[in-house]
Amino acid sequence: MTTSSQFDYDLLVIGAGSGGVRASRVAASLGARVAVVEAGRLGGTCVNVGCIPKKLLSHAAHFSQAFEEARGFGWQVPQARFDWATLIANKDREIHRLNGVYDQLLAKAGVELVTGRARITGPHSVAVGDRTLSARHILVATGGRPQMPAIAGIEWAISSDDAFSLPELPRRVVVVGGGYIAVEFASIFNGLGAETTLLHRSARLLRHFDADLGAALAAQMAHHGVQLRLERQIEAIAQHVDRGDDGLQLQLDDGPALIADCVLFATGRVPNTEGLGLEAAGVQLDARGAVLVDEGFTSSIPSIHAVGDVVDRMALTPVALAEGTVLAHRLFGGADKAAPDYALVPTAVFSHPNVGTVGLSEAQARERHGDVQVFESSFRPLTNRLSDTPEPVFLKLVVAGADQRVVGVHMVGEEAGELIQGFAVALQCGATKAQFDATLGIHPTIAEEFVTMREPVAS
Ligand SMILES: Cc1cc2nc3c(=O)[nH]c(=O)nc-3n(C[C@H](O)[C@H](O)[C@H](O)COP(=O)(O)OP(=O)(O)OC[C@H]3O[C@@H](n4cnc5c(N)ncnc54)[C@H](O)[C@@H]3O)c2cc1C
């Protein structure tokens, strides 16, 4: 039996993103000797090329709509001008600040930071440059990366990672994909003034969400000016030269080619396990390269664990944080923490309009519970009336079982993320439709509609 003193560390974490930093800090607070190895910038995807910069750009894009709406409330807004360079510089400053915050958090927790690219060389050893570090436990928290399709000319395309540092706002953008990253970027570029096309191979946006959400969002995005090209694929990309109007020519599987200045593929992400030495160490991976872990986040090698996007369960920051916390407690004797309930993870899409959701879609509820009741409402909120904006909000409750439990709450509309967070607590507590009905509304709000829907949709 080995003791921790035989190793340099009790826990060596690879990746200082959401999951890795959380696990490091919690483990250190429980008395473990911890180091974290990071090859890039502190904070990982979320801080540098994910949630944070995306939300800032999304907020920036929303102003164009706000300027329009302001007129109905008596404001004379002169022709607004947008400056991409200012937005990117300010966004970079905020991210730099957050990188510093992460650095301080690790230092304060007593976690050693090792800079460099890590490679696992055995069940207890990791190489970083010419150093070899040993640890009783190794945590793989290396996240994921964008997946680009193998089509001719793909080198002309960008991924979401690149979109945050474009030198200028492209005039014509094509965003490829139908998931949350694709619809968010299409909304961002469109709101900032680029001619924007969203091209997706299937007819449905946001396929992991309730089907009505994707349909409602598609209608609203089209209303805001995003050109939707559904059931189309790009087969090849070439340079397009046309007397001063140079760009990219996107050859489609059907119909005439599209000309654009920028094409962004948001067609999926893959776990970051290539070149990590996992297979050689005996760690089992799935077909997509994700680390296979048990319920406690331990891999097929008992001393090697994994959390976050690299396990490919649910690629969201709060999920990576929760998994990191559970693992650290389990390894270092903290309070017993249950793994997150993946069926009840609330999430938002920061498209225009926003989408918010928690719990089961109608289809999932029908599959799991058989008999379900659905309550829906679609209406123009008060604030859209003076601005003459036709944008309706869409709300949906899914109710199942003999006790009429609310198993899904879904919304398309302004601030959906803020609003769904509170309903996630209700679902976590097992709220029933009767309890929703007994709750008084806050008037006049959009959210009050969730507690006043009485008539189920006929199924
Ligand atoms: C565009 C975009 C928008 C998103 N928006 C949201 C959102 O709104 N809300 C939300 O909850 N989630 C969002 N996400 C997802 C979220 O960012 C991820 O789920 C989260 O960052 C995963 O954390 P992680 O710890 O698993 O990995 P990461 O945060 O990706 O961290 C992995 C770290 O490991 C490092 N690394 C990799 N390999 C090595 C190596 N060999 N050696 C050393 N270091 C290494 C990387 O440099 C990185 O810093 C978004 C993602 C993207 C791409």
Side-chain angles (χ1 to χ4, degrees):
M1 168 100 183
T2 52
T3 65
S4 65
S5 58
Q6 291 176 259
F7 300 109
D8 298 330
Y9 305 100
D10 297 316
L11 177 66
L12 185 69
V13 178
I14 307 177
S18 309
V21 168
R22 172 60 67 85
S24 309
R25 292 173 59 212
V26 175
S29 76
L30 294 168
R33 293 170 304 137
V34 186
V36 58
V37 189
E38 174 54 56
R41 289 181 290 166
L42 293 181
T45 302
C46 179
V47 168
N48 296 291
V49 285
C51 335
I52 301 294
K54 181 271 306 279
K55 183 90 193 269
L56 293 173
L57 265 56
S58 171
H59 191 65
H62 188 68
F63 282 104
S64 54
Q65 192 181 335
F67 293 143
E68 279 303 312
E69 289 173 0
R71 293 178 210 281
F73 292 84
W75 289 95
Q76 296 302 316
V77 185
Q79 189 61 41
R81 279 186 50 248
F82 168 71
D83 182 41
W84 172 261
T86 303
L87 173 64
I88 297 304
N90 289 347
K91 179 268 295 176
D92 287 346
R93 202 178 52 232
E94 173 57 13
I95 286 171
H96 188 65
R97 186 188 72 79
L98 289 172
N99 297 146
V101 169
Y102 271 74
D103 196 21
Q104 283 166 17
L105 284 174
L106 290 173
K108 248 183 161 167
V111 174
E112 187 182 328
L113 175 62
V114 179
T115 302
R117 185 155 292 279
R119 194 169 48 80
I120 293 174
T121 49
H124 297 280
S125 61
V126 170
V128 185
D130 50 15
R131 285 176 75 186
T132 296
L133 308 169
S134 67
R136 191 169 136 218
H137 295 284
I138 296 169
L139 171 59
V140 180
T142 50
R145 62 173 194 283
Q147 187 176 34
M148 303 293 270
I151 58 170
I154 192 67
E155 64 277 12
W156 298 107
I158 64 166
S159 71
S160 61
D161 285 2
D162 310 311
F164 294 112
S165 50
L166 286 173
E168 58 191 29
L169 178 68
R171 186 162 64 84
R172 300 160 297 188
V173 184
V174 174
V175 178
V176 187
Y180 81 93
I181 295 177
V183 298
E184 288 176 339
F185 271 102
S187 296
I188 288 169
F189 284 122
N190 184 58
L192 295 179
E195 261 174 50
T196 307
T197 301
L198 179 65
L199 189 142
H200 182 38
R201 66 179 176 188
S202 106
R204 182 174 161 187
L205 301 182
L206 299 178
R207 76 185 160 96
H208 295 297
F209 292 65
D210 186 282
D212 286 336
L213 299 182
L217 178 65
Q220 289 308 310
M221 287 181 72
H223 170 75
H224 286 303
V226 175
Q227 312 270 340
L228 293 179
R229 294 289 188 98
L230 302 178
E231 298 180 89
R232 292 280 182 286
Q233 292 196 67
I234 295 179
E235 292 195 323
I237 305 171
Q239 268 187 306
H240 172 77
V241 182
D242 181 18
R243 281 172 299 180
D245 189 20
D246 299 352
L248 299 171
Q249 176 164 315
L250 314 178
Q251 194 60 52
L252 305 187
D253 57 342
D254 191 13
L258 288 176
I259 306 297
D261 302 300
C262 172
V263 55
L264 187 166
F265 276 82
T267 44
R269 293 175 62 83
V270 284
N272 238 339
T273 47
E274 227 176 73
L276 251 183
L278 285 163
E279 289 107 317
V283 174
Q284 284 179 9
L285 308 180
D286 74 7
R288 275 170 48 80
V291 180
L292 288 169
V293 289
D294 63 18
E295 286 197 344
F297 304 103
T298 294
S299 76
S300 50
I301 299 295
S303 57
I304 302 182
H305 318 275
V307 297
D309 286 8
V310 79
V311 303
D312 208 17
R313 285 191 180 164
M314 213 174 221
L316 289 169
T317 286
V319 172
L321 295 174
E323 293 175 349
T325 306
V326 170
L327 179 77
H329 277 266
R330 193 171 70 71
L331 294 183
F332 300 106
D336 224 9
K337 298 259 178 205
D341 182 348
Y342 295 97
L344 275 184
V345 175
T347 181
V349 180
F350 297 98
S351 46
H352 296 145
N354 287 183
V355 175
T357 179
V358 58
L360 303 180
S361 68
E362 181 181 341
Q364 287 170 329
R366 289 197 189 284
E367 204 179 296
R368 236 176 259 190
H369 298 279
D371 191 25
V372 302
Q373 279 192 319
V374 171
F375 297 80
E376 282 180 9
S377 183
S378 181
F379 60 98
R380 268 175 77 188
L382 180 65
T383 45
N384 286 1
R385 297 213 165 255
L386 294 199
S387 55
D388 206 23
T389 313
E391 183 172 300
V393 296
F394 173 74
L395 310 179
K396 180 168 180 174
L397 288 182
V398 183
V399 176
D403 57 353
Q404 292 280 283
R405 207 174 253 239
V406 180
V407 293
V409 181
H410 310 285
M411 170 174 176
V412 179
E414 208 177 324
E415 301 296 358
E418 299 292 342
L419 203 144
I420 290 292
Q421 181 70 77
F423 286 102
V425 178
L427 264 61
Q428 194 74 48
C429 298
T432 62
K433 181 68 169 65
Q435 289 167 325
F436 268 55
D437 294 346
T439 304
L440 294 191
I442 299 173
H443 186 71
T445 62
I446 292 170
E448 66 179 317
E449 192 75 6
F450 272 128
V451 295
T452 54
M453 289 193 266
R454 296 288 184 265
E455 285 301 317
V457 177
S459 54

Short mmCIF file of all heavy atoms in Angstrom, two decimals, residues 333-370:
data_model
loop_
_atom_site.label_atom_id
_atom_site.label_comp_id
_atom_site.label_asym_id
_atom_site.label_seq_id
_atom_site.Cartn_x
_atom_site.Cartn_y
_atom_site.Cartn_z
N GLY A 333 -12.07 12.97 1.62
CA GLY A 333 -12.78 12.83 2.89
C GLY A 333 -13.69 13.96 3.27
O GLY A 333 -13.99 14.14 4.45
N GLY A 334 -14.15 14.72 2.30
CA GLY A 334 -15.12 15.76 2.62
C GLY A 334 -16.50 15.15 2.79
O GLY A 334 -16.68 13.94 2.71
N ALA A 335 -17.48 16.03 2.99
CA ALA A 335 -18.86 15.56 3.14
C ALA A 335 -19.29 14.83 1.86
O ALA A 335 -18.84 15.17 0.78
CB ALA A 335 -19.78 16.75 3.38
N ASP A 336 -20.11 13.83 2.03
CA ASP A 336 -20.58 13.07 0.88
C ASP A 336 -21.41 13.97 -0.02
O ASP A 336 -22.36 14.59 0.42
CB ASP A 336 -21.47 11.92 1.38
CG ASP A 336 -21.13 10.64 0.66
OD1 ASP A 336 -20.12 10.64 -0.06
OD2 ASP A 336 -21.89 9.67 0.83
N LYS A 337 -21.00 14.08 -1.27
CA LYS A 337 -21.74 14.93 -2.21
C LYS A 337 -22.29 14.04 -3.32
O LYS A 337 -21.54 13.25 -3.89
CB LYS A 337 -20.82 15.97 -2.85
CG LYS A 337 -20.20 16.92 -1.88
CD LYS A 337 -20.95 18.23 -1.89
CE LYS A 337 -20.34 19.16 -0.86
NZ LYS A 337 -21.26 20.16 -0.39
N ALA A 338 -23.57 14.22 -3.62
CA ALA A 338 -24.14 13.42 -4.71
C ALA A 338 -23.74 14.03 -6.04
O ALA A 338 -23.60 15.25 -6.16
CB ALA A 338 -25.66 13.41 -4.57
N ALA A 339 -23.57 13.18 -7.04
CA ALA A 339 -23.30 13.67 -8.40
C ALA A 339 -24.49 14.52 -8.84
O ALA A 339 -25.60 14.32 -8.36
CB ALA A 339 -23.10 12.49 -9.33
N PRO A 340 -24.26 15.49 -9.73
CA PRO A 340 -25.39 16.34 -10.15
C PRO A 340 -26.50 15.51 -10.78
O PRO A 340 -26.23 14.47 -11.38
CB PRO A 340 -24.76 17.28 -11.18
CG PRO A 340 -23.41 16.74 -11.51
CD PRO A 340 -23.01 15.82 -10.41
N ASP A 341 -27.73 15.98 -10.61
CA ASP A 341 -28.87 15.32 -11.25
C ASP A 341 -28.94 15.85 -12.68
O ASP A 341 -29.42 16.95 -12.93
CB ASP A 341 -30.15 15.67 -10.48
CG ASP A 341 -31.37 14.98 -11.06
OD1 ASP A 341 -31.26 14.43 -12.17
OD2 ASP A 341 -32.41 14.99 -10.40
N TYR A 342 -28.42 15.04 -13.62
CA TYR A 342 -28.30 15.53 -15.00
C TYR A 342 -29.66 15.80 -15.65
O TYR A 342 -29.75 16.53 -16.63
CB TYR A 342 -27.51 14.52 -15.85
CG TYR A 342 -26.07 14.39 -15.39
CD1 TYR A 342 -25.68 13.36 -14.54
CD2 TYR A 342 -25.11 15.31 -15.79
CE1 TYR A 342 -24.36 13.25 -14.09
CE2 TYR A 342 -23.79 15.21 -15.35
CZ TYR A 342 -23.43 14.17 -14.50
OH TYR A 342 -22.14 14.08 -14.07
N ALA A 343 -30.73 15.21 -15.08
CA ALA A 343 -32.06 15.44 -15.65
C ALA A 343 -32.62 16.80 -15.26
O ALA A 343 -33.60 17.26 -15.83
CB ALA A 343 -33.02 14.35 -15.20
N LEU A 344 -32.00 17.44 -14.27
CA LEU A 344 -32.56 18.70 -13.77
C LEU A 344 -31.56 19.86 -13.88
O LEU A 344 -31.57 20.76 -13.06
CB LEU A 344 -32.99 18.54 -12.32
CG LEU A 344 -34.39 17.99 -12.07
CD1 LEU A 344 -34.72 17.99 -10.59
CD2 LEU A 344 -35.44 18.79 -12.84
N VAL A 345 -30.71 19.80 -14.90
CA VAL A 345 -29.74 20.88 -15.07
C VAL A 345 -30.41 22.03 -15.84
O VAL A 345 -30.79 21.85 -16.99
CB VAL A 345 -28.49 20.39 -15.83
CG1 VAL A 345 -27.55 21.54 -16.12
CG2 VAL A 345 -27.78 19.30 -15.04
N PRO A 346 -30.58 23.18 -15.21
CA PRO A 346 -31.18 24.29 -15.95
C PRO A 346 -30.16 24.88 -16.92
O PRO A 346 -28.96 24.85 -16.65
CB PRO A 346 -31.52 25.30 -14.86
CG PRO A 346 -30.58 25.00 -13.75
CD PRO A 346 -30.19 23.56 -13.85
N THR A 347 -30.63 25.38 -18.02
CA THR A 347 -29.68 25.97 -18.97
C THR A 347 -30.35 27.05 -19.80
O THR A 347 -31.56 27.04 -19.97
CB THR A 347 -29.02 24.87 -19.85
OG1 THR A 347 -28.10 25.48 -20.75
CG2 THR A 347 -30.02 24.10 -20.66
N ALA A 348 -29.52 27.96 -20.29
CA ALA A 348 -30.05 29.05 -21.12
C ALA A 348 -29.25 29.13 -22.40
O ALA A 348 -28.08 28.77 -22.46
CB ALA A 348 -29.94 30.37 -20.36
N VAL A 349 -29.91 29.61 -23.44
CA VAL A 349 -29.26 29.89 -24.71
C VAL A 349 -29.35 31.40 -24.88
O VAL A 349 -30.45 31.96 -24.86
CB VAL A 349 -29.97 29.16 -25.87
CG1 VAL A 349 -29.29 29.46 -27.19
CG2 VAL A 349 -30.02 27.66 -25.61
N PHE A 350 -28.20 32.05 -25.06
CA PHE A 350 -28.21 33.52 -25.12
C PHE A 350 -28.33 34.01 -26.56
O PHE A 350 -27.57 34.84 -27.02
CB PHE A 350 -26.98 34.08 -24.39
CG PHE A 350 -27.00 33.72 -22.93
CD1 PHE A 350 -26.26 32.64 -22.45
CD2 PHE A 350 -27.81 34.41 -22.05
CE1 PHE A 350 -26.30 32.27 -21.11
CE2 PHE A 350 -27.87 34.05 -20.71
CZ PHE A 350 -27.12 32.98 -20.24
N SER A 351 -29.29 33.41 -27.24
CA SER A 351 -29.65 33.87 -28.58
C SER A 351 -30.56 35.08 -28.41
O SER A 351 -30.89 35.46 -27.29
CB SER A 351 -30.40 32.75 -29.30
OG SER A 351 -31.39 32.21 -28.43
N HIS A 352 -31.01 35.66 -29.53
CA HIS A 352 -32.00 36.73 -29.47
C HIS A 352 -33.26 36.26 -30.15
O HIS A 352 -33.24 36.12 -31.36
CB HIS A 352 -31.46 38.01 -30.12
CG HIS A 352 -30.28 38.55 -29.39
ND1 HIS A 352 -29.24 39.17 -30.01
CD2 HIS A 352 -29.98 38.54 -28.07
CE1 HIS A 352 -28.34 39.53 -29.10
NE2 HIS A 352 -28.76 39.15 -27.93
N PRO A 353 -34.32 35.98 -29.44
CA PRO A 353 -34.46 36.06 -28.00
C PRO A 353 -33.78 34.89 -27.28
O PRO A 353 -33.38 33.92 -27.92
CB PRO A 353 -35.99 35.98 -27.82
CG PRO A 353 -36.46 35.17 -28.99
CD PRO A 353 -35.55 35.53 -30.12
N ASN A 354 -33.69 35.02 -25.96
CA ASN A 354 -33.09 33.96 -25.14
C ASN A 354 -34.00 32.74 -25.08
O ASN A 354 -35.21 32.85 -25.28
CB ASN A 354 -32.93 34.43 -23.69
CG ASN A 354 -31.83 35.45 -23.48
OD1 ASN A 354 -31.58 35.84 -22.36
ND2 ASN A 354 -31.16 35.89 -24.54
N VAL A 355 -33.38 31.61 -24.77
CA VAL A 355 -34.12 30.39 -24.50
C VAL A 355 -33.70 29.92 -23.11
O VAL A 355 -32.51 29.99 -22.77
CB VAL A 355 -33.78 29.29 -25.54
CG1 VAL A 355 -34.45 27.98 -25.20
CG2 VAL A 355 -34.17 29.74 -26.95
N GLY A 356 -34.65 29.46 -22.31
CA GLY A 356 -34.32 28.92 -20.99
C GLY A 356 -35.08 27.62 -20.79
O GLY A 356 -36.23 27.50 -21.23
N THR A 357 -34.44 26.68 -20.15
CA THR A 357 -35.11 25.38 -20.01
C THR A 357 -34.59 24.63 -18.78
O THR A 357 -33.43 24.75 -18.42
CB THR A 357 -34.90 24.54 -21.30
OG1 THR A 357 -35.53 23.29 -21.14
CG2 THR A 357 -33.45 24.33 -21.63
N VAL A 358 -35.49 23.88 -18.14
CA VAL A 358 -35.07 22.96 -17.09
C VAL A 358 -36.00 21.75 -17.11
O VAL A 358 -37.21 21.90 -17.32
CB VAL A 358 -35.05 23.62 -15.69
CG1 VAL A 358 -36.39 24.20 -15.27
CG2 VAL A 358 -34.57 22.63 -14.62
N GLY A 359 -35.41 20.59 -16.91
CA GLY A 359 -36.23 19.37 -16.84
C GLY A 359 -36.44 18.73 -18.18
O GLY A 359 -35.67 18.92 -19.13
N LEU A 360 -37.53 17.97 -18.27
CA LEU A 360 -37.77 17.14 -19.45
C LEU A 360 -38.50 17.90 -20.55
O LEU A 360 -39.39 18.72 -20.27
CB LEU A 360 -38.64 15.93 -19.06
CG LEU A 360 -38.12 15.03 -17.95
CD1 LEU A 360 -39.10 13.88 -17.69
CD2 LEU A 360 -36.75 14.46 -18.32
N SER A 361 -38.15 17.59 -21.78
CA SER A 361 -38.94 18.08 -22.92
C SER A 361 -40.25 17.30 -22.93
O SER A 361 -40.37 16.26 -22.24
CB SER A 361 -38.18 17.84 -24.23
OG SER A 361 -38.10 16.45 -24.47
N GLU A 362 -41.19 17.77 -23.72
CA GLU A 362 -42.47 17.06 -23.81
C GLU A 362 -42.23 15.62 -24.30
O GLU A 362 -42.80 14.67 -23.74
CB GLU A 362 -43.40 17.82 -24.76
CG GLU A 362 -44.77 17.16 -24.88
CD GLU A 362 -45.69 17.90 -25.85
OE1 GLU A 362 -45.44 19.09 -26.14
OE2 GLU A 362 -46.66 17.28 -26.31
N ALA A 363 -41.39 15.47 -25.32
CA ALA A 363 -41.15 14.13 -25.89
C ALA A 363 -40.51 13.21 -24.84
O ALA A 363 -40.91 12.05 -24.69
CB ALA A 363 -40.27 14.25 -27.12
N GLN A 364 -39.53 13.74 -24.10
CA GLN A 364 -38.88 12.91 -23.06
C GLN A 364 -39.89 12.52 -21.99
O GLN A 364 -39.90 11.39 -21.50
CB GLN A 364 -37.74 13.70 -22.39
CG GLN A 364 -36.51 13.86 -23.25
CD GLN A 364 -35.53 14.86 -22.63
OE1 GLN A 364 -35.93 15.80 -21.93
NE2 GLN A 364 -34.26 14.66 -22.89
N ALA A 365 -40.75 13.47 -21.60
CA ALA A 365 -41.74 13.19 -20.55
C ALA A 365 -42.72 12.12 -21.03
O ALA A 365 -43.07 11.22 -20.26
CB ALA A 365 -42.47 14.47 -20.17
N ARG A 366 -43.14 12.20 -22.28
CA ARG A 366 -44.09 11.19 -22.80
C ARG A 366 -43.43 9.81 -22.81
O ARG A 366 -44.05 8.81 -22.48
CB ARG A 366 -44.57 11.56 -24.21
CG ARG A 366 -45.50 12.76 -24.22
CD ARG A 366 -46.30 12.91 -25.51
NE ARG A 366 -46.99 14.18 -25.52
CZ ARG A 366 -48.09 14.46 -24.83
NH1 ARG A 366 -48.65 13.52 -24.09
NH2 ARG A 366 -48.65 15.65 -24.88
N GLU A 367 -42.15 9.79 -23.17
CA GLU A 367 -41.43 8.51 -23.22
C GLU A 367 -41.29 7.92 -21.81
O GLU A 367 -41.47 6.73 -21.59
CB GLU A 367 -40.05 8.78 -23.82
CG GLU A 367 -39.43 7.56 -24.47
CD GLU A 367 -38.08 7.95 -25.05
OE1 GLU A 367 -38.06 8.78 -25.97
OE2 GLU A 367 -37.07 7.43 -24.53
N ARG A 368 -40.98 8.79 -20.84
CA ARG A 368 -40.69 8.32 -19.48
C ARG A 368 -41.95 8.07 -18.66
O ARG A 368 -42.01 7.15 -17.87
CB ARG A 368 -39.84 9.36 -18.77
CG ARG A 368 -38.56 8.75 -18.26
CD ARG A 368 -37.69 9.78 -17.67
NE ARG A 368 -36.63 10.16 -18.61
CZ ARG A 368 -35.61 10.91 -18.27
NH1 ARG A 368 -35.53 11.38 -17.05
NH2 ARG A 368 -34.67 11.20 -19.14
N HIS A 369 -42.94 8.95 -18.81
CA HIS A 369 -44.10 8.89 -17.92
C HIS A 369 -45.38 8.47 -18.62
O HIS A 369 -46.41 8.30 -17.97
CB HIS A 369 -44.34 10.27 -17.28
CG HIS A 369 -43.20 10.73 -16.42
ND1 HIS A 369 -43.02 10.30 -15.13
CD2 HIS A 369 -42.18 11.57 -16.68
CE1 HIS A 369 -41.94 10.87 -14.62
NE2 HIS A 369 -41.40 11.64 -15.55
N GLY A 370 -45.38 8.39 -19.93
CA GLY A 370 -46.61 8.04 -20.65
C GLY A 370 -47.56 9.22 -20.69
O GLY A 370 -47.48 10.06 -21.58
#
